[in-house]
């Protein structure tokens, strides 16, 4: 059997998965590896995920998404129309079907590649990454934004960041989805009653501070992460600030659920 990469010989695989995508077969091995601690350039960073831009960091960095489906949707629609005109089960039908499958694979691979580069950068260079516990399924209910949200791959972003945090020795803080990161002023802490999605610039009515809404949310997440991430419950007989906030702690993962 020929493989693209060498088969693992040092580690004993925990399980093996064989899958097929279009005309290609893949075999993946699940193995246990030791974590690789890397030098961190930033202590704590807040990460605001969005549709306009994939991720806005509290440091001011902005990462664009792959937009793979958006860029290739016209080509995909054309191939699907060609497929619908073929006689079902015929040789030409199978050829047209394979073209559609290959394009779907390309769209997914472009998205995964962008996410892998971003999550690797975050976990390798930031000691603590703070994100919100987004209700992706609820967001997908908005038919106007569903395609754009799916194109960003929020669930895959979190999945990758979770396991890479353990791999590279960083910590992931997941903030409750009801935390008003976008509505709270990162300068004075004043909270707005409402903030329309169309309002791209946050304007504080109290201190008149103006800032991009995504950057404002990221800065609020960073502040919360700075306050929470350093708490490590050694003696569980004594309640910690994280316990009082309703959180769950892992060696590389902290979930914060704010109580009002």
């Amino acid at each position: 059997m020929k493989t693209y990469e060498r088969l693992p010989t040092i580690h004993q695989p925990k399980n093996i998965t064989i899958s097929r995508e279009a005309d290609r077969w893949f075999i993946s091995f699940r193995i246990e590896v030791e974590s690789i601690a890397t030098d961190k350039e930033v202590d704590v960073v807040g990460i605001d995920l969005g549709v306009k831009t994939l991720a806005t960091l509290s440091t001011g960095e902005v990462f664009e998404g792959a937009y793979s489906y958006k860029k290739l949707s016209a080509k995909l629609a054309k191939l699907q129309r060609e497929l619908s005109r073929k006689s079902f089960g015929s040789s030409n039908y199978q050829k047209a079907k394979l073209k559609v499958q290959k394009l779907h694979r390309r769209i997914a691979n472009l998205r995964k590649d962008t996410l892998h580069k971003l999550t690797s950068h975050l976990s390798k260079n930031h000691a603590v990454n703070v994100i919100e516990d987004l209700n992706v399924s609820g967001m997908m209910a908005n038919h106007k934004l569903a395609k754009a949200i799916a194109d960003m791959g929020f669930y895959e972003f979190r999945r990758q960041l979770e396991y890479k945090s353990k791999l590279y020795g960083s910590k992931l803080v997941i903030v409750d989805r009801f935390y008003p990161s976008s509505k709270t002023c990162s300068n004075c802490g004043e909270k707005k009653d409402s903030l329309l999605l169309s309002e791209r610039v946050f304007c504080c009515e109290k201190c008149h501070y103006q800032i991009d809404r995504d950057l404002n949310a990221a800065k609020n997440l960073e502040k919360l992460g700075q306050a929470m991430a350093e708490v490590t419950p050694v003696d569980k007989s004594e309640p910690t600030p994280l316990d009082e906030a309703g959180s769950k702690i892992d060696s590389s993962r902290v979930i914060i659920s704010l109580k009002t």
Side-chain angles (χ1 to χ4, degrees):
M1 180 177 64
K2 293 184 178 181
T3 59
Y4 183 77
E5 297 181 42
R6 288 186 177 182
L7 298 178
T9 55
I10 301 177
H11 304 281
Q12 183 67 29
K14 296 295 181 181
N15 58 45
I16 299 174
T17 303
I18 299 176
S19 59
R20 181 183 180 183
E21 295 179 6
D23 59 339
R24 294 184 182 179
W25 287 90
F26 298 88
I27 179 169
S28 59
F29 298 85
R30 182 181 179 183
I31 58 177
E32 289 186 0
V33 296
E34 295 181 359
S35 60
I36 309 168
T38 58
D39 295 332
K40 312 302 181 186
E41 298 177 0
V42 180
D43 291 332
V44 182
V45 65
I47 307 163
D48 182 72
L49 300 180
V51 175
K52 185 178 179 182
T53 56
L54 173 58
T56 301
L57 308 190
S58 56
T59 56
E61 295 175 274
V62 177
F63 293 86
E64 298 290 339
Y67 308 108
S68 54
Y69 178 80
K70 182 179 180 181
K71 292 176 181 177
L72 296 172
S73 59
K75 184 176 181 180
L76 179 61
K78 179 183 177 182
L79 292 178
Q80 288 174 331
R81 285 195 300 270
E82 292 177 358
L83 175 63
S84 66
R85 298 190 186 105
K86 306 299 181 183
S87 177
F88 182 78
S90 65
S91 177
N92 287 333
Y93 177 87
Q94 296 300 331
K95 291 178 182 178
K97 181 181 177 181
L98 183 59
K99 288 182 180 180
V100 173
Q101 291 174 338
K102 284 184 176 181
L103 187 56
H104 273 298
R105 183 180 65 200
R106 175 169 171 74
I107 291 172
N109 286 343
L110 287 171
R111 183 184 301 119
K112 285 182 180 180
D113 179 66
T114 299
L115 293 174
H116 272 298
K117 289 176 179 177
L118 174 56
T119 52
S120 293
H121 169 75
L122 292 171
S123 55
K124 286 181 178 180
N125 299 296
H126 303 80
V128 179
N129 295 288
V130 189
I131 63 173
E132 286 183 279
D133 182 22
L134 296 176
N135 180 16
V136 179
S137 58
M139 296 168 67
M140 293 286 286
N142 186 334
H143 300 296
K144 294 182 179 180
L145 298 175
K147 287 184 179 180
I149 293 171
D151 203 14
M152 287 298 183
F154 292 155
Y155 176 82
E156 179 64 14
F157 170 85
R158 174 169 167 173
R159 186 192 71 83
Q160 290 184 15
L161 195 57
E162 284 183 342
Y163 82 77
K164 288 182 182 181
S165 295
K166 296 179 180 179
L167 180 62
Y168 296 114
S170 58
K171 180 176 289 186
L172 177 61
V173 177
I174 302 175
V175 178
D176 188 277
R177 65 186 59 172
F178 298 109
Y179 174 65
S181 59
S182 297
K183 296 180 181 179
T184 304
C185 178
S186 59
N187 185 51
C188 69
E190 182 72 10
K191 178 186 172 183
K192 281 192 172 187
D193 294 330
S194 62
L195 183 67
L196 298 176
L197 191 61
S198 58
E199 297 180 55
R200 302 311 306 170
V201 177
F202 180 91
C203 300
C204 181
E205 298 174 356
K206 183 178 180 180
C207 68
H208 307 292
Y209 182 64
Q210 294 188 9
I211 185 175
D212 177 82
R213 66 174 290 155
D214 296 336
L215 180 57
N216 179 67
K219 285 182 175 293
N220 284 324
L221 292 174
E222 178 192 354
K223 288 182 179 180
L224 188 61
Q226 288 175 338
M228 296 293 189
E230 295 179 357
V231 180
T232 304
V234 178
D235 184 4
K236 292 303 292 182
S237 61
E238 294 294 331
T240 67
L242 279 176
D243 292 327
E244 295 174 358
S247 64
K248 182 179 179 182
I249 299 180
D250 191 283
S251 58
S252 62
R253 189 165 172 253
V254 179
I255 300 178
I256 301 173
S257 176
L258 299 179
K259 294 181 180 179
T260 56

